[in-house]
Amino acid sequence: MFKPKTYGSRALLLHGNEILLVKMVGSDHWSLPGGKIEKGENPTNCIERELREELCLCDIKIEYKLGEYVSTQEHKHDTVHIFVITLPSRDFTKQAELDAAAWFPLTQLPHN
């Protein structure tokens, strides 16, 4: 069976001992912010765009690329690039494409 290949970028957004997680509209699960790499984008451009669109975060400084993971859920082959970014403040503005966005202590992550 043919599995379409997709590519995305997500970010571990950190401030102190907290991480910023998001819930997409219609989802019950918290996840790392990010999304699909668009045509002509590289993984870095993608995460910069996604953070601007989802959380109004501009002028971010990517510390390093943590790695990549491959998901084969939903009958596709999805390669996701993960970046680590430490934010200078906890300020963000959640946009309409997100149902929720919140800071969580690294020792108290949500169950889902």
Side-chain angles (χ1 to χ4, degrees), residues 28-48:
D28 292 329
H29 298 358
W30 290 97
S31 64
L32 299 174
K36 182 180 176 184
I37 296 174
E38 301 292 339
K39 186 175 181 174
E41 277 186 325
N42 63 41
T44 302
N45 298 140
C46 173
I47 198 59
E48 291 170 344

Side-chain angles (χ1 to χ4, degrees), residues 2-98:
F2 174 72
K3 290 186 177 185
K5 290 185 177 184
T6 59
Y7 301 89
S9 290
R10 297 210 173 262
L12 284 149
L13 294 176
L14 304 170
H15 181 75
N17 290 324
E18 294 182 306
I19 186 169
L20 183 60
L21 299 177
V22 300
K23 273 189 188 178
M24 300 304 289
V25 171
S27 175
D28 292 329
H29 298 358
W30 290 97
S31 64
L32 299 174
K36 182 180 176 184
I37 296 174
E38 301 292 339
K39 186 175 181 174
E41 277 186 325
N42 63 41
T44 302
N45 298 140
C46 173
I47 198 59
E48 291 170 344
R49 175 183 52 77
E50 288 288 346
L51 295 177
R52 205 171 37 253
E53 290 176 358
E54 293 178 358
L55 300 162
C56 288
L57 294 175
C58 300
D59 298 322
I60 60 162
K61 304 274 188 286
I62 295 172
E63 291 181 49
Y64 59 95
K65 181 177 174 181
L66 182 63
E68 300 171 7
Y69 75 87
V70 175
S71 171
T72 56
Q73 295 179 2
E74 301 175 359
H75 304 291
K76 60 184 179 182
H77 185 273
D78 193 16
T79 301
V80 181
H81 304 265
I82 306 295
F83 295 94
V84 175
I85 301 167
T86 299
L87 297 176
S89 79
R90 297 175 81 237
D91 297 337
F92 66 89
T93 304
K94 180 189 78 61
Q95 298 302 297
E97 68 185 271
L98 297 178

